[in-house]
RNA sequence: GGGCAGUUAGCUCAGCGGUAGAGCAUUCGCCUUACACGCGAAGGGUCACAGGUUCGAAUCCUGUACUGCCCACCA
């Protein structure tokens, strides 16, 4: 005999290995079958999978397995992402623990080490995905990496093509600089956070001594880089002074007071200090007024180009010093508390320094236009659809994309420079390596993936590659076609592109999804996927974001160990309603674990009655009520589940099967089957139970692959058509079924429930067999109950059930009403009259209230005239029913007196 | 400052035009020969608020409040 509780560990290990060994998940282009393709959002090789990955990949796995079982050529393409800055940060942290920096290893050494890390970490991630049950073929030939050879080729081809179209350019612009990561970031890689700070009011005196201008700022240290003060042209307070010079405090510089539309009159003092090098708005003002761009913060985040006393200080230190010096000089007019949003690096949460820098950019407007159209016309359709609007809006406000990163790990920018032709445009670090490139200083680009043999202009051989690498999202943007070998025209590309659906969390909708849509349209001429399934973020049970620093993370691997993979998957799925964030906690996994156990025990129950040597059992057309009923319920559950899948409502699809399996199949059908399994009808019951249970296992397989595979394997020998792995089986056929048995069962189930209520309320010991009477004036109902009286005896533990029209209530009996029946349960001892009256009176009260409500509506002329006929009929029937109940209850109550 | 979502039982959420539902938690009774990771039963909600549409509103419309998220150069 199998153990009472399901032990997932050995089962999961066995099937995970078998599935991979059999290469069950591999796909080949097939002329006969329709492809269903999903490309995995490639996890960064930064460490272990987290709970968000577990959710994301469970959703994809469900879709893939489901589509396969529908008979489509379902292909889920596996891979990992090199993860640019994120991965480099992980490596640098490792090095730091060894007391080293990447510069100790040098660029090549650092890259070699990171590649080794990729081998290790990439493998770990893939094995974790396998553990999650993902239907991903992890054969070496099938797993992609955003930095492997074919993907590198795609990246180069993209860069080359954009360059030729003039869509990629190098220019000096305001960018977001993370001094800690030592690189520029794109606008969407910056996060904003409210911080408590101060608003300092600084006194700038006019050169001619005729007055002063007070400016308000949150960044006093940048005043050292001010090259003007600006006011609104219409501002009466400053009209007279505009054009005059101001003395810049703490320095000996003079700066002009300019008038600019960009200044808000009503904010602060109406005067802004202008630091074109370190503020986006100031940069614009600077451009309009031809102001000098004076950089006072270096790439290292230290003060430069300023009075010696501040030189080399960090921004924070400089702020303190400047404020103190201004105070001492009596130039600090005011200091007020102020809350404002500051920009932070999305990779390391350090403060971002906006600064002007020469970088590579991709021109976005022309790329965004077709993507907007695709979203608007739903060539790319969002689930839930509410994402369409923000998606389109984001595209419509798009800015050029800064794609160069001053890090080492990533696709090197495929541009080379000839040392002799590029002149001053190339800057070198102390070790003689190329550190910066400036087109404005004369650097001449040669676009090439590999080192060109010679400079096409001068024939020189001293060629150096641009030191920067591309934003990691540059290669991710190509993923839906680069995975199939683009730019090669492969047969995979032909067959699988465009892919079917992309499954992702909303946090990377712009970072990733939008860029894939744009790239797909630009390079392939077609959207990369027709549908986007957007899910939320897994949060802790209080709705807080999970983070290591808060200590509220849930490790999916630990949970899989503890509760089983199916349990984790089921529970995540159950809570991912509506595409919103998912509050998750360890407790919520218990529900999934319990359901897995329920299925396991249902199978164990069936096995008790099956012969040891498997032989096919053929189910006959159900004749008995319970059989007809369960088949109707099965049919309804499959129908609901299938319809929900079509709308990407995965939790609903799962829930329909859950409810059927537990509440209907186990709680009612199997209970009713127990005595029949002892008698001559055994084979018929077994065959039907097996048919429906294995069908349910099939339908549940996408959600909980392990336990279903295990149970199916143990039961399939008894089926007429045993089949193989569930993944290769067809999703169950939905039997034609009406609702007749469902209605008849409902009537019966209520009788059983009413007797159970009486038992429970009058504390009849659960094991004790009782007598009961069911009285009704409805002959049809009496006949139906007579036919099924065995069910009542069984499930309400009634040893003698008298059914009739004219049976009278025995003395010392408790009464209940169920549909057309008055039910009497004789008691051994005396009946607690107060209790009995109390509950019957409560019933009566309910019936009366309901009856009155019906009556009111039936008397309402407008209701009778305007409501649909069917509705009126329903109310009439309900009203009659209430009337009957009231009469019967009143009579019973009277007799109690 | 704009946009989007949410507000239903103690908690997490379904329901989205015709008598308020689930899971968990709580209470009571059961180790009933598949399952105590279980079985049976019970309690618990003026469906945020105010108007409107409708014979009828948790469900549709308008507004208010609160919460959360996204976007935006207000120093």
């Amino acid at each position: 005999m199998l153990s009472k509780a399901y032990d997932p560990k050995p089962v999961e290990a066995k099937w995970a290995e078998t599935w991979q060994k059999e290469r069950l998940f591999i796909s080949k282009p097939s002329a006969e079958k329709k492809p269903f393709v999903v490309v995995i959002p490639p996890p960064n090789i930064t460490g272990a999978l987290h709970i968000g990955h577990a959710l994301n990949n469970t959703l994809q796995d469900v879709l893939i397995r489901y589509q396969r079982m529908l008979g489509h050529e379902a292909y889920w393409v596996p891979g990992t992402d090199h993860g640019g800055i994120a991965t480099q940060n992980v490596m640098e942290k490792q090095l730091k623990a060894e007391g080293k920096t990447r510069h100790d290893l040098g660029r090549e050494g650092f890259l070699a080490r990171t590649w080794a890390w990729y081998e290790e970490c990439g493998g770990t991630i893939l094995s974790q995905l396998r553990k999650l049950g993902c239907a991903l073929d992890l054969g070496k030939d099938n797993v992609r990496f955003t930095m492997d050879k074919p993907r590198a080729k795609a990246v180069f081809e993209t860069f080359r093509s954009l360059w030729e179209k003039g869509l990629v350019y190098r220019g000096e612009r305001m960018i977001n600089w993370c001094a800690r990561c030592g690189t520029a970031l794109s606008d969407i890689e910056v996060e904003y956070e409210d911080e408590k700070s101060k608003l300092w009011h600084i006194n700038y005196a006019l050169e001619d001594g005729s007055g002063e201008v007070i400016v308000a700022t949150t960044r006093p240290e940048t005043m050292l880089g001010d090259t003007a003060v600006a006011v609104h042209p219409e501002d009466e307070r400053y009209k007279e002074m505009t054009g005059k010079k101001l003395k810049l405090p703490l320095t000996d510089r003079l700066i002009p007071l300019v008038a600019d539309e960009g200044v808000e009159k009503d904010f602060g003092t109406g005067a802004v200090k202008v630091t074109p090098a370190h503020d986006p708005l100031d940069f614009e003002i600077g451009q309009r007024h031809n102001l000098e761009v004076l950089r006072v913060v270096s790439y290292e985040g230290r003060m430069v180009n300023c009075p010696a006393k501040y030189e080399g200080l960090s921004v924070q230190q400089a702020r303190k010093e400047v404020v103190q010096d201004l105070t001492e000089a009596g130039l600090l007019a005011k200091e007020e508390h102020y809350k404002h949003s500051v920009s932070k690096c999305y990779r390391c949460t350090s403060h971002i320094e906006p600064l002007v820098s020469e970088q590579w950019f991709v021109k976005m407007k022309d790329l965004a236009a077709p993507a907007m159209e695709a979203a608007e016309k739903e060539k790319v359709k969002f689930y839930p659809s509410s994402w369409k609007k923000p998606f389109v809006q984001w595209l419509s406000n798009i800015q050029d994309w800064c794609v160069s990163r001053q890090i080492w790990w990533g696709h090197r920018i495929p541009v080379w420079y000839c040392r002799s032709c590029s002149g001053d445009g190339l800057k070198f670090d102390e070790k003689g390596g190329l550190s910066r490139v400036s087109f404005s200083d004369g650097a001449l680009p040669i676009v090439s993936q590999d080192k060109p043999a010679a400079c096409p202009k001068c024939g020189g051989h001293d060629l150096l590659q641009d030191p920067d690498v591309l934003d990691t999202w540059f290669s991710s943007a190509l993923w839906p076609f680069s995975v199939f070998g683009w730019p090669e025209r492969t047969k995979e590309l032909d067959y699988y592109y465009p892919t079917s659906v992309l499954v992702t969390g909303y946090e990377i909708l712009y970072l990733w999804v939008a860029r894939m849509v744009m790239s797909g349209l630009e390079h392939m001429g077609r959207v990369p996927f027709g549908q986007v399934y957007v899910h939320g973020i897994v949060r802790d049970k209080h709705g807080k974001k999970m983070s290591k620093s808060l200590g509220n993370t849930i490790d999916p691997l630990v949970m899989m160990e503890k509760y089983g993979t199916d349990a984790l998957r089921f529970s995540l799925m159950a809570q991912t309603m509506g595409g919103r964030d998912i509050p998750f906690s360890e407790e919520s996994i218990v529900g999934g674990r319990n359901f897995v156990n329920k299925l396991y025990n249902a199978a164990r129950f069936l096995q008790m009655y099956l012969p040891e040597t498997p032989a096919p059992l053929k189910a006959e057309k159900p004749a008995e009520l319970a059989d007809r009923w369960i088949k109707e319920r099965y049919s309804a559950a499959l129908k609901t589940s299938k319809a929900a899948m079509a709308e990407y409502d995965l939790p609903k699809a799962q829930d329909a099967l859950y409810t059927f399996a537990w509440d209907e199949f186990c709680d009612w059908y199997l209970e009713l089957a127990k005595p029949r399994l002892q008698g001559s009808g055994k084979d018929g019951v077994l065959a039907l139970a097996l048919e429906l249970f294995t069908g349910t296992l099939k339908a549940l397989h996408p959600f909980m692959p392990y336990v279903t595979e295990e149970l199916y394997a143990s039961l399939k020998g008894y089926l007429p058509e045993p089949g193989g792995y569930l993944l290769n089986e067809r999703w169950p056929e939905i039997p034609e079924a009406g609702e007749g048995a469902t209605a008849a069962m409902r009537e019966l189930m209520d009788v059983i429930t009413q007797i159970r209520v009486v038992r429970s309320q009058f504390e009849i010991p659960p094991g004790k067999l009782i007598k009961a009477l069911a009285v009704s004036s409805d002959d049809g109902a009496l006949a139906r109950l007579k036919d099924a009286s065995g069910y009542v005896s069984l499930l309400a533990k009634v040893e003698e059930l008298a059914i009739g029209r004219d049976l009278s209530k025995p003395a010392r009996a408790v009464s209940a009403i169920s549909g057309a029946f008055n039910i009497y349960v004789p008691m051994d001892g005396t009946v607690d009259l107060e209790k009995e009256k109390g509950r019957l009176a409560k019933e009566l009260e309910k019936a009366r209230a309901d009856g009155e409500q019906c009556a009111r509506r039936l008397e309402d002329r407008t209701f009778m005239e305007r409501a649909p006929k069917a509705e009126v009929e329903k109310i009439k029937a309900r009203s009659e029913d209430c009337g009957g109940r009231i009469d019967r209850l009143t009579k019973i109550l009277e007799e109690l007196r």
Side-chain angles (χ1 to χ4, degrees):
Chain A
M1 193 71 186
L2 294 160
S3 79
K4 284 168 113 177
Y6 175 68
D7 182 10
K9 255 189 259 177
V11 173
E12 292 177 3
K14 174 180 71 183
W15 291 115
E17 202 194 322
T18 310
W19 292 335
Q20 284 300 324
K21 215 164 59 201
E22 299 277 316
R23 300 209 78 168
L24 218 59
F25 307 137
I26 199 79
S27 165
K28 293 247 153 53
S30 150
E32 299 90 59
K33 289 200 216 160
K34 216 178 96 193
F36 179 87
V37 193
V38 175
V39 292
I40 196 170
N44 281 348
I45 50 158
T46 46
L49 291 189
H50 55 68
I51 194 82
H53 289 118
L55 170 68
N56 176 252
N57 289 293
T58 296
L59 292 168
Q60 294 174 81
D61 192 50
V62 170
L63 292 175
I64 285 287
R65 286 179 184 267
Y66 175 71
Q67 290 290 335
R68 245 206 204 203
M69 293 180 79
L70 288 186
H72 300 137
E73 186 56 47
Y75 186 22
W76 188 9
V77 188
T80 48
D81 196 303
H82 67 278
I85 301 169
T87 303
Q88 175 152 329
N89 285 350
V90 168
M91 296 311 291
E92 290 189 317
K93 225 174 256 170
Q94 283 180 12
L95 289 171
K96 198 177 172 189
E98 298 166 20
K100 290 188 227 162
T101 73
R102 66 180 151 122
H103 299 282
D104 294 327
L105 303 190
R107 189 162 188 150
E108 259 174 58
F110 178 80
L111 290 181
R113 182 162 167 155
T114 311
W115 274 105
W117 164 254
Y118 153 68
E119 292 293 339
E120 182 191 331
C121 178
T124 307
I125 287 171
L126 294 174
S127 81
Q128 289 168 347
L129 286 172
R130 189 179 74 169
K131 226 174 158 183
L132 228 204
C134 294
L136 287 163
D137 185 275
L138 301 177
K140 268 238 175 308
D141 50 336
N142 196 40
V143 177
R144 280 81 160 161
F145 179 50
T146 54
M147 239 166 88
D148 60 17
K149 281 244 168 63
R151 264 46 69 183
K153 197 165 177 199
V155 165
F156 170 69
E157 177 54 28
T158 303
F159 191 94
R160 189 198 58 76
S161 147
L162 292 175
W163 172 258
E164 278 173 10
K165 292 174 193 155
L167 291 174
V168 69
Y169 67 94
R170 193 170 169 88
E172 190 163 62
R173 301 283 211 89
M174 178 63 64
I175 51 99
N176 308 290
W177 184 265
C178 175
R180 206 225 57 85
C181 295
T183 182
L185 298 170
S186 67
D187 295 341
I188 29 176
E189 287 171 311
V190 176
E191 281 168 359
Y192 293 87
E193 208 177 297
D194 271 354
E195 233 172 53
K196 266 190 246 166
S197 172
K198 289 190 175 147
L199 192 59
W200 287 276
H201 295 245
I202 308 170
N203 200 328
Y204 285 32
L206 282 166
E207 183 199 10
D208 58 15
S210 65
E212 60 186 31
V213 173
I214 293 175
V215 301
T217 181
T218 52
R219 298 206 54 193
E221 72 283 3
T222 61
M223 64 154 290
L224 299 170
D226 283 1
T227 49
V229 168
V231 293
H232 194 272
E234 310 282 291
D235 196 330
E236 295 299 331
R237 291 171 292 181
Y238 302 106
K239 242 179 179 158
E240 297 297 309
M241 308 178 196
T242 333
K244 289 189 175 173
K245 296 273 189 210
L246 294 158
K247 285 198 248 182
L248 184 63
L250 310 183
T251 70
D252 47 14
R253 288 197 287 122
L254 291 176
I255 55 173
L257 183 68
V258 300
D260 193 279
E261 302 270 352
V263 180
E264 201 72 42
K265 269 197 292 192
D266 302 328
F267 188 89
T269 58
V272 206
K273 57 191 269 323
V274 182
T275 322
H278 297 290
D279 182 278
L281 175 65
D282 293 6
F283 182 71
E284 280 175 34
I285 295 176
Q287 299 242 294
R288 287 197 281 268
H289 300 272
N290 211 7
L291 300 173
E292 187 195 346
V293 177
L294 179 61
R295 283 191 48 188
V296 291
V297 181
S298 72
Y299 287 126
E300 290 75 32
R302 305 213 162 255
M303 303 307 291
V304 289
N305 302 325
C306 52
K309 107 164 261 221
Y310 307 109
E311 194 79 27
L313 293 181
S314 75
V315 170
Q316 288 303 323
Q317 287 168 324
R319 180 172 304 174
K320 253 190 226 148
E321 295 284 322
V322 165
V323 168
Q324 197 188 326
D325 293 346
L326 286 169
T327 312
E328 279 166 15
L331 294 173
L332 196 68
K334 199 158 75 169
E335 187 179 302
E336 51 185 336
H337 290 285
Y338 190 63
K339 205 171 83 179
H340 70 135
S341 80
V342 294
S343 45
K344 304 219 165 154
C345 171
Y346 86 134
R347 284 306 180 201
C348 75
T349 72
S350 310
H351 281 103
I352 289 294
E353 184 63 49
L355 51 80
V356 171
S357 176
E358 197 175 330
Q359 301 282 345
W360 287 97
F361 293 89
V362 176
K363 240 187 224 172
M364 299 307 288
K365 280 261 174 325
D366 292 349
L367 294 172
M372 267 164 75
E373 196 189 323
E376 241 150 25
K377 292 193 174 153
E378 302 195 337
K379 296 264 190 296
V380 175
K381 200 169 170 201
F382 290 91
Y383 293 84
S385 58
S386 51
W387 282 108
K388 174 176 161 177
K389 201 172 157 183
F391 187 85
V392 170
Q393 232 157 40
W394 185 80
L395 285 171
S396 73
N397 293 328
I398 203 160
Q399 302 294 316
D400 283 359
W401 176 14
C402 174
V403 290
S404 43
R405 297 287 176 275
Q406 287 66 50
I407 58 170
W408 288 348
W409 179 241
H411 289 278
R412 192 91 176 251
I413 293 197
V415 175
W416 302 75
Y417 308 96
C418 169
R419 201 162 176 172
S420 49
C421 296
S422 291
D424 292 342
L426 306 182
K427 312 257 183 324
F428 300 88
D429 58 30
E430 59 275 16
K431 285 181 188 154
L434 187 54
S435 71
R436 298 287 301 152
V437 170
S438 172
F439 278 24
S440 46
D441 288 346
L444 295 173
I446 308 159
V447 174
S448 170
Q449 185 170 19
D450 301 313
K451 188 174 184 174
C455 171
K457 199 169 161 200
C458 72
H461 296 285
D462 196 359
L463 297 168
L464 298 164
Q465 186 167 12
D466 195 297
D468 292 350
V469 301
L470 287 162
D471 183 0
T472 191
W473 298 104
F474 192 93
S475 54
S476 317
L478 316 175
W479 191 242
F481 43 97
S482 71
V483 293
F484 300 122
W486 183 88
E488 304 298 326
R489 174 96 193 262
T490 64
K491 63 177 193 299
E492 282 76 21
L493 191 61
D494 270 350
Y495 182 70
Y496 293 120
Y497 191 92
T499 68
S500 308
V501 54
L502 184 90
V503 181
T504 185
Y506 61 76
E507 74 274 15
I508 50 175
L509 219 49
Y510 309 135
L511 228 32
W512 190 42
V513 181
R515 281 152 177 184
M516 284 191 284
V517 174
M518 290 188 273
S519 317
L521 286 164
E522 173 69 14
H523 304 294
M524 295 293 297
R526 293 185 71 178
V527 291
F529 27 74
Q531 289 154 332
V532 182
Y533 178 107
V534 185
H535 64 255
I537 294 167
V538 184
R539 295 169 178 272
D540 76 4
K541 64 175 157 185
H542 308 293
K544 283 216 180 70
K545 216 167 186 167
M546 284 188 188
S547 75
K548 278 180 200 148
S549 54
L550 282 174
N552 61 350
T553 53
I554 293 180
D555 184 343
L557 299 158
V558 173
M559 295 303 118
M560 278 151 67
E561 283 290 308
K562 209 162 157 189
Y563 300 97
T565 299
D566 292 322
L568 176 69
R569 289 172 58 126
F570 181 90
S571 306
L572 276 171
M573 181 63 70
Q575 292 182 71
T576 177
M577 297 287 193
R580 271 174 313 179
D581 286 350
I582 297 137
F584 203 65
S585 63
E586 183 163 346
E587 301 95 81
S588 52
I589 306 173
V590 171
R593 193 265 319 257
N594 294 353
F595 181 51
V596 171
N597 192 241
K598 191 76 186 174
L599 290 174
Y600 167 79
N601 272 291
R604 209 159 64 98
F605 174 76
L606 293 176
Q607 265 155 350
M608 277 173 35
Y609 300 95
L610 290 166
E612 262 186 54
T613 353
L617 284 165
K618 180 100 175 77
E620 281 153 39
K621 196 166 187 305
E624 190 165 330
L625 176 61
D627 296 346
R628 284 182 283 124
W629 170 75
I630 197 64
K631 199 146 187 182
E632 282 180 12
R633 302 319 305 147
Y634 174 74
S635 169
L638 289 182
K639 222 176 269 173
T640 305
S641 192
K642 194 168 187 173
M645 286 304 288
E647 297 161 27
Y648 288 101
D649 192 343
L650 275 49
K652 190 175 174 188
Q654 177 180 262
D655 187 62
L657 300 169
Y658 166 85
T659 306
F660 167 76
W662 197 315
D663 298 353
E664 297 176 327
F665 187 77
C666 288
D667 283 356
W668 287 92
Y669 186 70
L670 289 186
E671 288 307 320
L672 286 172
K674 276 176 180 174
R676 296 166 65 197
L677 286 165
Q678 310 290 346
S680 59
K682 178 180 162 186
D683 282 359
V685 182
L686 257 185
L688 182 65
L690 261 178
E691 179 194 321
L692 303 192
F693 186 65
T694 51
T696 308
L697 290 177
K698 284 179 186 172
L700 278 169
H701 182 251
F703 299 98
M704 15 190 28
Y706 290 116
V707 69
T708 50
E709 186 85 289
E710 173 73 5
L711 300 180
Y712 186 74
S714 72
L715 294 172
K716 69 183 181 186
Y718 303 93
L719 295 173
E721 291 166 56
Y725 298 109
L726 276 181
L727 195 63
N728 293 334
E729 290 289 288
R730 285 296 84 90
W731 203 81
E733 214 157 295
I734 303 177
E736 285 294 326
E739 302 234 301
T742 296
M745 261 305 271
R746 203 169 11 234
E747 184 181 39
L748 215 55
M749 286 158 93
D750 192 58
V751 170
I752 292 165
T753 301
Q754 288 308 323
I755 298 176
R756 283 171 169 174
V757 169
V758 168
R759 295 188 68 119
S760 178
Q761 288 186 345
F762 287 86
E763 288 155 20
I764 299 172
K768 187 180 159 61
L769 292 172
I770 55 168
K771 293 187 173 58
L773 295 84
V775 187
S776 175
S777 54
D778 180 340
D779 289 328
L782 285 169
R784 287 194 295 273
L785 185 59
K786 266 180 194 152
D787 279 348
S789 66
Y791 294 179
V792 179
S793 301
L794 179 65
L795 297 186
K797 293 239 159 53
V798 176
E799 61 181 342
E800 228 183 285
L801 179 64
I803 302 165
R805 186 178 253 278
D806 302 311
L807 304 172
S808 53
K809 182 186 170 191
R812 289 191 326 217
V814 171
S815 314
I817 283 197
S818 166
F821 300 103
N822 278 12
I823 292 169
Y824 305 118
V825 178
M827 304 296 278
D828 281 347
T830 50
V831 174
D832 180 341
L833 272 181
E834 287 315 304
K835 197 189 220 175
E836 173 72 343
K837 277 188 211 163
R839 56 182 276 279
L840 290 171
K842 213 169 145 191
E843 284 293 308
L844 180 60
E845 199 42 54
K846 246 171 34 196
R848 276 195 179 133
D850 196 18
E852 274 166 35
Q853 203 192 359
C854 291
R856 238 178 288 129
R857 291 171 77 177
L858 291 173
E859 282 158 24
D860 185 343
R861 274 234 316 270
T862 44
F863 172 75
M864 296 301 282
E865 278 165 20
R866 299 193 195 180
K869 223 178 180 174
E871 189 55 30
V872 175
E873 287 310 310
K874 244 164 69 184
I875 298 293
K876 271 188 188 158
R878 207 168 101 201
S879 176
E880 270 168 41
D881 183 55
C882 287
R885 292 172 87 86
I886 292 166
D887 288 350
R888 284 148 64 199
L889 282 162
T890 314
K891 210 167 147 216
I892 295 170
L893 272 165
E894 273 167 9
E895 283 165 8
L896 282 178
R897 296 233 162 76

